[in-house]
Amino acid sequence: MRDKLQQIKIDALVLIDNAQTLEDIEEVKLKFLSRKGELNSFKKKIKDLPADQKPVIGALANEIAQELEQKLNDKLYILQREEILKRIESEKIDITMPGKAVYSGKKHPLTTTIDEIVEIFQGMGFSLVESQHSPEVETEHYNFDMLNFPPDHPARDMQDTFYTQLAPNVILRSHTSNSQVREMQTKKPPLRVVIPGRVYRAEDVSSRKNNLFHQVEGFMVDKDITFGDMKGVLNEFIRLYFGQSRPTRFRSSFFPFTEPSAEIDVQCIMCKGKGCRVCSQSGWLEILGAGMIDPNVLKNAGIDPDVYSGFAFGMGVERLAMLKYAINDIRLFFNNDIRFLKQF
Ligand code: DAH
């Protein structure tokens, strides 16, 4: 009996020693120490022993049970420790690894430019007009007629203006000046407003021209407004927009809706006036059309030109952005190439 007990002990110790996992430990426990395990089965046989042997063998069985229990717990402790260390190792975070970049959305450079232009004029007392007085799909009436364009003016030609099939005379506006009379008809002078928006022209696309571009329209109507006021406001705008006075020139020009009219050029930033592809070798980039509002336009809007006068201007947003950020191709604004957009 004693030998049998020793054998059980040795078998169990070998298995405990070989156990690699917590499951192995469970198995040993089950095999030797559970209710139906080998030690218990052995103990059941003790009652058949001679009386003098019962206590001795019984005591020895208990002793072995205790020893195995102790060994199992020791081994369990070691394996649990190993498992924890393994987990710590596998979950270790290398804080020296480069992180994943998070890209956030940004304003389009044209939106930024429009915001900047509007803000500068707001600083000079102009207010921003919402789009209801500035539709992109427009009638010839507001785009041309009310602005004093004669019926046979070449700008009405199919080559410059996109005509729609919605109705005869419904077009995509060719300039934001369409909003001038709409705005003047609904308000009384004094007026000082800026109106940004998209405009459309049927042009050959090139580095300087696109079918769709943006303008900011503005005008001021009050008593005693002069050409000098206009020059002052526009020069101040150019100074604030570029952060410095840049060479500009006011060229006399013609628009049906202004008299006198001027075009304002800024020196080409690409070639510093020497002449390049962007400025068509002229050294200058036109950014603005402007002039004193023609009395006919004021009359069309129901404003008495004998009492009131005003100036108006329209500027190309893309041109202004190209000058400021040294961009040499207008198409970059519309291709939506992320490598371009993310630079702003
Ligand atoms: N509408 C003109 C254009 O698109 C620009 C312009 C010129 C606007 C003179 C004006 C202005 O308000 O007074 O070329």
Side-chain angles (χ1 to χ4, degrees):
M1 283 304 272
R2 195 179 275 274
D3 289 350
K4 172 77 184 142
L5 213 45
Q6 287 302 341
Q7 193 55 51
I8 290 174
K9 178 179 161 182
I10 289 165
D11 289 349
L13 286 178
V14 168
L15 285 178
I16 291 170
D17 205 41
N18 288 340
Q20 303 280 346
T21 63
L22 301 180
E23 287 82 51
D24 293 345
I25 294 290
E26 271 316 303
E27 238 169 69
V28 180
K29 222 183 221 174
L30 209 64
K31 186 163 161 43
F32 293 96
L33 295 176
S34 64
R35 209 157 47 84
K36 291 185 176 166
E38 289 192 18
L39 267 180
N40 261 338
S41 313
F42 179 89
K43 278 184 188 166
K44 282 183 193 140
K45 291 179 199 147
I46 293 179
K47 63 177 188 319
D48 303 329
L49 290 175
D52 63 330
Q53 294 224 2
K54 273 186 202 172
V56 185
I57 297 297
L60 186 61
N62 283 339
E63 206 178 283
I64 288 174
Q66 261 176 25
E67 192 184 340
L68 290 182
E69 193 97 30
Q70 182 61 43
K71 290 269 191 256
L72 270 170
N73 283 341
D74 290 352
K75 184 74 184 209
L76 193 66
Y77 175 76
I78 290 168
L79 288 178
Q80 276 173 339
R81 224 181 109 80
E82 272 173 12
E83 198 126 304
I84 288 168
L85 288 176
K86 251 192 262 167
R87 220 172 69 203
I88 288 174
E89 187 60 32
S90 72
E91 289 176 0
K92 200 159 81 177
I93 294 170
D94 181 356
I95 57 164
T96 65
M97 291 250 287
K100 281 190 193 142
V102 178
Y103 297 106
S104 59
K106 285 183 182 175
K107 271 193 195 172
H108 191 280
L110 289 178
T111 308
T112 309
T113 305
I114 289 171
D115 288 351
E116 247 178 89
I117 295 169
V118 167
E119 235 169 76
I120 290 171
F121 281 103
Q122 283 175 328
M124 292 193 269
F126 286 71
S127 43
L128 174 65
V129 167
E130 303 300 342
S131 55
Q132 82 247 28
H133 291 155
S134 172
E136 287 178 34
V137 180
E138 181 58 290
T139 56
E140 279 193 273
H141 181 69
Y142 280 109
N143 198 82
F144 295 128
D145 300 338
M146 297 299 262
L147 291 172
N148 206 32
F149 279 79
D152 56 350
H153 194 278
R156 296 187 187 229
D157 198 293
M158 300 288 283
Q159 272 148 35
D160 293 322
T161 306
F162 284 113
Y163 281 73
T164 72
Q165 293 174 332
L166 295 172
N169 304 331
V170 174
I171 61 169
L172 299 182
R173 67 169 169 197
S174 60
H175 54 183
T176 44
S177 304
N178 70 320
S179 52
Q180 280 192 20
V181 170
R182 283 182 177 277
E183 179 65 11
M184 287 182 210
Q185 279 177 332
T186 52
K187 302 205 176 114
K188 295 246 165 315
L191 289 167
R192 247 186 291 180
V193 295
V194 275
I195 313 166
R198 257 179 289 199
V199 303
Y200 303 84
R201 285 188 203 173
E203 307 209 75
D204 288 336
V205 174
S206 70
S207 64
R208 299 181 58 205
K209 286 182 173 171
N210 199 47
N211 294 147
L212 176 161
F213 58 102
H214 297 75
Q215 291 185 329
V216 175
E217 190 78 13
F219 62 85
M220 178 165 179
V221 178
D222 201 349
K223 289 174 181 154
D224 304 321
I225 300 294
T226 67
F227 198 88
D229 294 324
M230 180 185 91
K231 260 189 114 167
V233 166
L234 294 179
N235 271 335
E236 180 64 357
F237 162 73
I238 288 166
R239 190 180 71 80
L240 289 172
Y241 179 75
F242 290 106
Q244 59 180 339
S245 296
R246 286 186 64 80
T248 57
R249 62 179 192 190
F250 282 62
R251 258 183 306 113
S252 109
S253 182
F254 173 80
F255 299 104
F257 39 99
T258 46
E259 181 58 37
S261 306
E263 276 174 303
I264 291 124
D265 301 340
V266 175
Q267 193 183 64
C268 180
I269 205 174
M270 300 292 164
C271 61
K272 296 282 186 301
K274 289 196 201 82
C276 68
R277 199 164 57 98
V278 176
C279 59
S280 286
Q281 310 305 331
S282 71
W284 296 92
L285 273 179
E286 181 208 325
I287 53 162
L288 261 169
M292 300 306 291
I293 300 172
D294 194 287
N296 286 336
V297 174
L298 292 176
K299 254 187 254 162
N300 289 341
I303 294 172
D304 185 350
D306 293 329
V307 180
Y308 293 103
S309 58
F311 65 82
F313 53 87
M315 58 185 75
V317 175
E318 283 77 1
R319 288 277 166 87
L320 282 166
M322 286 167 86
L323 279 170
K324 187 152 179 172
Y325 302 114
I327 296 162
N328 60 10
D329 195 322
I330 194 171
R331 290 167 292 197
L332 287 166
F333 291 117
F334 304 102
N335 290 345
N336 285 331
D337 185 330
I338 204 82
R339 290 168 301 180
F340 170 76
L341 295 175
K342 107 181 152 182
Q343 295 175 49
F344 296 91

